[in-house]
């Protein structure tokens, strides 16, 4: 990979890591479920007007939107609004890697190699350490909600894989069309029209400006620019070369949360984070088949295929 592409890949990881800081800012003003609906509505409206729908079956497009868009961010935003620290959320969400591998093996009959299985076990061990620390020092519910968000991401990954879109960026944009309606209905039922109306009309509180800027960052930088660059890089290089750079996301997220929000983590949580990142990296290893060397001696007449 050229140096400039490496820098672009690292830039995307930084964009996505800072995305958790932006989400935290938005949650200071907007109710979490309504915020998910608002986030995707801002992308869905121009997408339907300007972007051609990808030629994929509706069931996989809807499944991708429900898993990646609706379930992931419903539980992530809910977990963060319930007290999950932004930096730790960026780490726990990486559980989507092991979840994706397990769902692929269960429903798509994908073969799981020894290193991949070991990586899953290591990552699960790391998550267990983080969950234990959350239970010791704070409520474990936000951790479990964020973990459910990682499972939603994995469900979306499986549907994305089955869609086999010729233009992955168009699929990502059209995925945003699915979450707004169910999330708005859920927000109205759970959070209520009064809180939703107040978040859209009352901008006198000090956190309102930061919430709006955080929302714009999530939409423009985190989703459109970040996902666009990532999709372009994945089209230029093997997935196994690009994908491991996503492990920089929790590093960026936890560092930014420490510097900007003053969040701290315990030593066991750091150890658990190292296990999660190491397990996901180990699980991403793909054993390459050795290339067949050309025959040095011509095959006998009649032994060649296609004759």
């Amino acid at each position: 990979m050229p140096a400039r592409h490496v820098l672009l890949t690292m830039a995307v990881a930084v964009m996505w890591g800072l995305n958790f800081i932006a989400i935290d800012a938005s949650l200071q003003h907007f109710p979490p479920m309504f915020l998910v609906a608002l986030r995707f509505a801002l992308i869905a409206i121009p997408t339907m007007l300007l972007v051609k729908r990808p030629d994929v079956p509706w069931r996989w497009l809807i499944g991708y939107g429900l898993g990646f868009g609706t379930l992931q961010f419903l539980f992530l935003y809910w977990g963060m609004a319930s007290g999950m620290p932004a930096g730790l959320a960026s780490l726990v969400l990486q559980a989507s890697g092991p979840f994706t591998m397990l769902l692929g093996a269960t429903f798509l009959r994908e073969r799981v190699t020894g290193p991949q299985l070991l990586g899953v076990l290591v990552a699960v061990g790391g998550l267990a350490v983080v969950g234990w620390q959350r239970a010791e020092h704070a409520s474990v519910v936000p951790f479990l909600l964020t973990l459910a968000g990682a499972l939603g991401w994995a469900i979306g990954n499986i549907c994305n894989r089955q869609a086999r879109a010729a233009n992955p960026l168009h699929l990502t944009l059209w995925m945003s069309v699915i979450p707004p309606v169910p999330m708005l209905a859920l927000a109205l039922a759970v959070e209520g029209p009064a809180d939703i109306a107040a978040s859209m009309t009352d901008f006198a509180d000090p956190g309102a400006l930061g919430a709006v800027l955080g929302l714009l960052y999530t939409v423009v930088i985190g989703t459109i620019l970040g996902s666009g660059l990532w999709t372009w890089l994945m089209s230029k290089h093997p997935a196994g070369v690009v994908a491991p750079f996503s492990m920089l996301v929790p590093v960026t997220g936890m560092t930014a949360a420490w510097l900007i929000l003053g969040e701290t983590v315990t030593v066991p949580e750091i150890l658990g984070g190292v296990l999660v990142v190491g397990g996901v990296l180990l699980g991403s290893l793909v054993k390459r088949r050795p290339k067949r060397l050309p025959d040095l001696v011509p095959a006998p007449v009649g032994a060649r295929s296609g004759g």
Side-chain angles (χ1 to χ4, degrees):
M1 186 188 297
R4 63 182 182 277
H5 289 186
V6 172
L7 292 175
L8 279 177
T9 311
M10 295 175 68
V12 173
V14 172
M15 292 178 200
W16 285 348
L18 293 176
N19 206 30
F20 290 86
I21 309 300
I23 293 170
D24 182 81
S26 297
L27 288 170
Q28 303 305 314
H29 180 75
F30 296 103
M33 297 179 189
F34 176 67
L35 182 58
V36 178
L38 189 59
R39 166 185 176 163
F40 284 104
L42 291 175
I43 304 173
I45 293 172
T47 292
M48 289 188 292
L49 294 175
L50 302 174
V51 180
K52 181 181 178 182
R53 188 181 78 83
D55 187 19
V56 300
W58 271 105
R59 64 181 181 277
W60 300 125
L61 176 59
I62 294 173
Y64 185 29
L66 290 178
F68 183 88
T70 307
L71 294 178
Q72 177 187 188
F73 291 103
L74 162 63
F75 289 114
L76 173 63
Y77 283 30
W78 189 2
M80 290 180 65
S82 301
M84 187 67 174
L88 208 55
S90 70
L91 169 66
V92 173
L93 209 61
Q94 298 304 313
S96 63
F99 280 146
T100 300
M101 193 183 308
L102 293 174
L103 291 177
T106 303
F107 296 103
L108 304 182
R109 298 293 187 266
E110 294 180 345
R111 182 175 175 269
V112 178
T113 64
Q116 287 176 324
L117 182 58
L118 179 60
V120 169
L121 295 176
V122 171
V124 169
L127 289 169
V129 172
V130 174
W132 165 65
Q133 281 294 292
R134 287 286 93 192
E136 287 285 317
H137 297 92
S139 172
V140 74
V141 172
F143 167 80
L144 294 176
L145 289 172
T146 308
L147 198 61
L151 178 59
W153 185 355
I155 294 171
N157 285 342
I158 296 299
C159 294
N160 184 2
R161 188 176 301 170
Q162 292 297 97
R164 296 181 176 86
N167 190 323
L169 180 58
H170 284 191
L171 178 63
T172 300
L173 291 173
W174 266 87
M175 172 277 300
S176 67
V177 175
I178 308 302
V181 172
M183 285 308 307
L184 181 58
L186 190 59
L188 288 170
V190 176
E191 296 164 343
D195 286 350
I196 292 174
S199 70
M200 294 297 291
T201 56
D202 182 11
F203 291 95
D205 65 280
L209 177 60
V212 173
L213 292 177
L215 176 60
L216 292 177
Y217 180 96
T218 301
V219 171
V220 178
I221 306 297
T223 303
I224 298 176
L225 181 59
S227 297
L229 283 173
W230 189 263
T231 300
W232 180 79
L233 288 163
M234 291 283 278
S235 69
K236 296 292 183 181
H237 305 282
V241 173
V242 179
F245 281 87
S246 67
M247 290 298 97
L248 294 176
V249 173
V251 175
T252 302
M254 297 182 80
T255 303
W258 171 56
L259 293 173
I260 299 173
L261 304 179
E263 292 182 0
T264 58
V265 293
T266 65
V267 173
E269 284 174 343
I270 295 175
L271 175 60
V274 171
L275 290 174
V276 171
V277 172
V280 174
L281 281 175
L282 182 59
S284 68
L285 295 177
V286 178
K287 186 177 181 181
R288 299 179 182 274
R289 293 182 179 179
K291 293 182 179 180
R292 183 177 180 272
L293 295 176
D295 293 332
L296 298 179
V297 179
V301 177
R304 298 179 186 270
S305 60

